[in-house]
């Protein structure tokens, strides 16, 4: 991230610039005076007031480039604290390219790196690091829940909770100082009470956060639905059916799908990755073996797994397959005569397929689709009902702080040496500041900003 220490004016298209649209918004920030850009506009920029929209033309060397609207935000009252100009132009991608080039060629403005506007907002203390993470999630969310969580951290309840935690922590820290320096003034007993009750307030609030660090949430950010089964079970057929397309090759030749394929499906507001895998069987072929290894790995980290079984092609390898747990077992070939009998035989042989086992869906077509969607959504809703914190960085820090806090509470109850208490509290405070994003180690910055799109 070499842009971190450079503060030249930057420009980017802040709306999607990959396909033609009615409008696009370009953003320039970091300039000293708006009039530095006078050469590009027909409007007299010295008369432009902040936060008002003006209609003007982009003209350079007598060539008219576009009819646009401009809005000036004077720093520090802008998104990132810098002087900012927003230009609404026509959204043909060629037009966007041409106007960006005009500004970068004929002024001291360069193209912004991904996330650079927001990085400046962080630098100018317009946003905390946690808010930046919230924004990142909000912009890249795969589900309604992730959208809500992103916004909640950007400016909503999670952000408020973090702020409150920090306030309670600071109050507790002050109570420790009080008991060290002023206990004679306020009375030792009062100081001690104050110290313990402020700790309890902080602890209680913090525990509400700990309950939201559920173990399973890593796959909520990019939930994968994995189709598994023996070769020829019908995985690729179901994959295509769920996608309404012919994406995967369907054939009676076992081993046709040798690597996994994945495509996006949206089910009830949530975007999932649907994965078709190589059939699970004893293979001697090196490529097929590798495909099978990948299938197993995918199953391990899947959000929702579907085992497909063709009851006419039963095989002792089912024993192996059924050792693992699946969210659903899906019987294919229900259209063929004799299906019920074949299925009943399998159920008799493998207890896991019985009525107490996984739910089976032998109905092909729309009914199967609806039932599958309902099961997937139910699992998703169950997982988010505890309002899990979606950010790995936060989850790790919350667990770390929780452990420190338990130790500290123990010390606070039994340990009277204020030097030790003070030291433990400082370490805890350091982690808390990291969680809230008041302090931000470089590697955290790097990983967050590597996710951002240009123009943000
Ligand atoms: N009759 C019938 N044939 C199916 C069904 N599902 C898959 N097939 C056929 O079984 C063969 C293998 O299907 P495919 O989807 O490629 O299986 P995969 O190896 O698990 O991906 C193909 O010839 C499909 O047309 C089904 O429900 N009914
Ligand atoms: Mg296949």
């Amino acid at each position: 991230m070499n842009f971190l220490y450079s503060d030249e004016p930057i420009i980017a298209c802040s709306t999607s610039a990959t396909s033609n649209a009615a409008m696009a918004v370009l953003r320039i920030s970091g300039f000293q005076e708006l009039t530095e850009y006078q050469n590009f506009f027909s409007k007299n920029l010295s008369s432009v007031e902040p936060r008002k929209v003006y209609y003007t033309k982009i003209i350079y060397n007598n060539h008219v480039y576009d009819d646009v609207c401009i809005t000036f935000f004077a720093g520090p009252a802008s998104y990132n604290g810098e002087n900012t100009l927003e230009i609404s132009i026509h959204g043909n991608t060629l037009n966007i390219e041409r106007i960006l080039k005009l500004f970068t060629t004929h002024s001291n403005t360069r193209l912004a790196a991904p996330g650079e506007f927001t990085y400046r907002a962080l630098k100018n203390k317009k946003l905390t690091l946690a808010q930046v993470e919230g924004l990142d999630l909000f912009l890249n969310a795969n589900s309604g829940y992730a959208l809500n969580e992103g916004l909640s951290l950007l400016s909503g309840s999670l952000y408020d909770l973090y702020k409150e935690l920090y306030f309670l922590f600071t109050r507790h820290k002050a109570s420790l100082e009080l008991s060290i320096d002023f206990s004679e003034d306020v009375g030792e007993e009062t100081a001690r009470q104050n110290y313990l009750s402020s700790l309890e307030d902080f602890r209680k609030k913090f525990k509400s956060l700990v309950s939201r660090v559920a173990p399973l949430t890593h796959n909520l950010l990019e939930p994968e639905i994995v189709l598994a089964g023996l070769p020829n079970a019908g995985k690729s057929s179901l994959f295509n059916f769920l996608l309404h397309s012919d994406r995967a090759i369907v054939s009676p030749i076992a081993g046709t799908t040798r690597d996994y394929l994945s495509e996006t499906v949206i089910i009830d507001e949530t975007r999932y990755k649907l994965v078709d895998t190589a059939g699970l069987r004893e293979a001697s072929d090196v490529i097929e073996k590798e495909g099978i290894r990948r299938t197993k790995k995918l199953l391990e980290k899947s959000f929702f797994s579907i085992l497909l079984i063709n009851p006419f092609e039963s095989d002792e390898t089912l024993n192996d397959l059924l050792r693992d747990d699946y969210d659903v077992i899906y019987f294919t070939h229900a259209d063929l005569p004799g299906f019920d009998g074949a299925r009943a035989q399998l159920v008799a042989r493998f207890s896991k397929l019985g009525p107490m086992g996984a739910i089976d869906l032998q109905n092909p077509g729309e009914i199967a689709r609806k039932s599958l969607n309902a099961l997937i959504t139910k699992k998703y809703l169950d997982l988010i009902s505890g309002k899990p914190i979606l950010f790995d960085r936060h989850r790790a820090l919350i667990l770390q702080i929780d452990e420190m806090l338990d130790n500290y509470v123990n010390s606070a109850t039994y340990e009277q040496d204020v030097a030790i208490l003070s030291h433990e509290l400082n370490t805890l405070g350091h982690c808390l500041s990291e969680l809230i994003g008041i302090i931000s180690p470089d590697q955290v910055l790097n990983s967050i900003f590597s996710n951002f799109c240009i123009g943000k």
Side-chain angles (χ1 to χ4, degrees):
M1 254 201 327
N2 56 5
F3 64 75
L4 285 184
Y5 306 104
S6 118
D7 56 2
E8 306 133 311
I10 47 174
I11 186 168
C13 177
S14 291
T15 45
S16 168
T18 48
S19 59
N20 293 337
M23 272 177 61
V25 178
L26 305 189
R27 202 153 44 159
I28 306 181
S29 98
F31 49 88
Q32 296 294 317
E33 302 291 337
L34 185 58
T35 45
E36 289 166 30
Y37 295 102
Q38 186 59 71
N39 284 348
F40 300 98
F41 296 98
S42 54
K43 168 105 196 132
N44 175 4
L45 294 184
S46 56
S47 67
V48 164
E49 292 176 41
R51 295 158 185 267
K52 285 192 177 167
V53 181
Y54 298 86
Y55 172 71
T56 174
K57 285 181 193 304
I58 294 184
I59 298 183
Y60 195 80
N61 273 347
N62 297 323
H63 181 85
V64 178
Y65 284 79
D66 199 356
D67 281 346
V68 302
C69 283
I70 57 170
T71 318
F72 170 53
F73 299 90
S78 68
Y79 167 65
N80 64 6
E82 297 183 332
N83 283 336
T84 301
L85 181 68
E86 285 187 8
I87 314 170
S88 302
I89 66 173
H90 287 98
N92 180 317
T93 55
L94 291 176
N95 190 42
I96 297 171
E97 282 299 313
R98 191 159 75 160
I99 294 177
L100 285 175
K101 194 164 171 206
L102 181 72
F103 279 89
T104 52
T105 314
H106 299 290
S107 74
N108 65 342
T109 309
R110 65 168 167 80
L111 279 181
E116 193 168 8
F117 289 99
T118 301
Y119 175 71
R120 291 181 179 191
L122 181 73
K123 204 172 72 174
N124 293 331
K125 301 203 173 0
K126 286 295 218 173
L127 294 173
T128 66
L129 185 68
Q131 285 180 298
V132 172
E133 287 170 308
L135 179 65
D136 177 20
L137 182 63
F138 191 53
L139 294 179
N140 295 303
N142 270 327
S143 67
Y145 178 69
L147 270 178
N148 295 345
E149 276 297 281
L151 197 58
S152 162
L153 186 55
L154 177 62
S155 60
S157 56
L158 190 54
Y159 179 60
D160 290 343
L161 176 60
Y162 281 2
K163 273 197 307 196
E164 197 181 345
L165 271 174
Y166 199 71
F167 167 77
L168 292 175
F169 175 81
T170 315
R171 209 176 63 175
H172 175 65
K173 202 164 172 218
S175 80
L176 180 63
E177 311 279 340
L178 191 77
S179 67
I180 298 170
D181 295 333
F182 301 102
S183 70
E184 278 173 18
D185 301 321
V186 293
E188 209 163 295
E189 191 49 33
T190 313
R192 175 93 186 139
Q193 278 312 320
N194 194 346
Y195 170 75
L196 289 176
S197 68
S198 60
L199 174 58
E200 181 54 16
D201 289 347
F202 173 71
R203 198 191 64 85
K204 249 199 197 141
K205 200 86 214 166
F206 190 79
K207 289 288 173 185
S208 75
L209 202 56
V210 176
S211 64
R212 294 173 58 183
V213 183
L216 241 180
T217 42
H218 66 278
N219 56 15
L220 276 183
L221 280 178
E222 278 199 307
E224 290 183 348
I225 302 168
V226 176
L227 306 179
L230 296 174
N232 277 342
K235 299 176 293 299
S236 298
S237 306
L238 182 64
F239 179 79
N240 288 343
F241 173 72
L242 293 175
L243 290 176
H244 303 277
S245 86
D246 280 337
R247 175 74 176 77
I249 300 173
V250 168
S251 99
I253 302 165
T256 302
T257 312
R258 286 148 73 99
D259 194 1
Y260 67 88
L261 283 178
S262 70
E263 286 291 335
T264 298
V265 280
I266 294 177
I267 302 171
D268 299 329
E269 249 198 22
T270 299
R271 200 181 293 145
Y272 298 90
K273 212 158 133 190
L274 181 67
V275 192
D276 181 20
T277 62
L280 293 163
R281 65 168 172 187
E282 279 300 318
S284 46
D285 177 304
V286 195
I287 298 177
E288 199 178 346
K289 263 191 173 156
E290 175 59 18
I292 291 168
R293 195 188 65 79
R294 288 181 186 197
T295 303
K296 290 192 169 156
K297 239 177 134 187
L298 281 163
L299 279 170
E300 265 168 37
K301 69 177 184 80
S302 70
F303 162 76
F304 195 90
S305 55
I306 304 175
L307 176 67
L308 286 93
I309 296 178
N310 169 1
F312 297 100
E313 282 199 49
S314 69
D315 186 322
E316 285 311 320
T317 37
L318 266 186
N319 255 332
D320 284 347
L321 287 186
L322 290 173
R323 237 173 255 139
D324 294 322
D325 282 325
Y326 301 88
D327 291 289
V328 151
I329 292 179
Y330 189 116
F331 284 98
T332 55
H333 295 74
D335 53 315
L336 296 187
F339 170 83
D340 286 337
R343 183 166 163 269
Q345 267 186 16
L346 275 188
V347 170
R349 265 175 53 211
F350 299 100
S351 58
K352 225 174 172 178
L353 299 179
M356 298 305 289
I359 302 155
D360 67 271
L361 296 162
Q362 70 263 53
N363 296 305
E366 289 309 316
I367 300 173
R369 187 199 303 280
K370 271 201 185 134
S371 317
L372 269 181
N373 287 358
L375 288 169
I376 291 162
T377 298
K378 180 175 181 316
K379 179 159 186 188
Y380 192 84
L381 292 179
D382 282 350
L383 271 178
I384 63 173
S385 66
K387 294 205 95 235
I389 303 278
L390 291 177
F391 308 89
D392 280 347
R393 187 183 78 85
H394 295 220
R395 293 151 54 79
L397 276 166
I398 289 168
L399 292 177
Q400 194 183 341
I401 295 169
D402 189 39
E403 206 182 317
M404 286 175 170
L405 185 59
D406 285 347
N407 288 336
Y408 176 73
V409 168
N410 205 22
S411 308
T413 318
Y414 301 110
E415 178 67 67
Q416 299 300 323
D417 184 343
V418 284
I420 295 178
L421 290 178
S422 190
H423 173 72
E424 283 188 21
L425 199 57
N426 278 341
T427 328
L428 204 153
H430 189 85
C431 283
L432 190 66
S433 313
E434 245 186 75
L435 170 68
I436 297 165
I438 298 169
I439 52 172
S440 34
D442 265 2
Q443 77 272 22
V444 175
L445 279 180
N446 270 321
S447 78
I448 292 170
F449 281 98
S450 61
N451 236 347
F452 268 71
C453 45
I454 290 180
K456 191 64 218 172

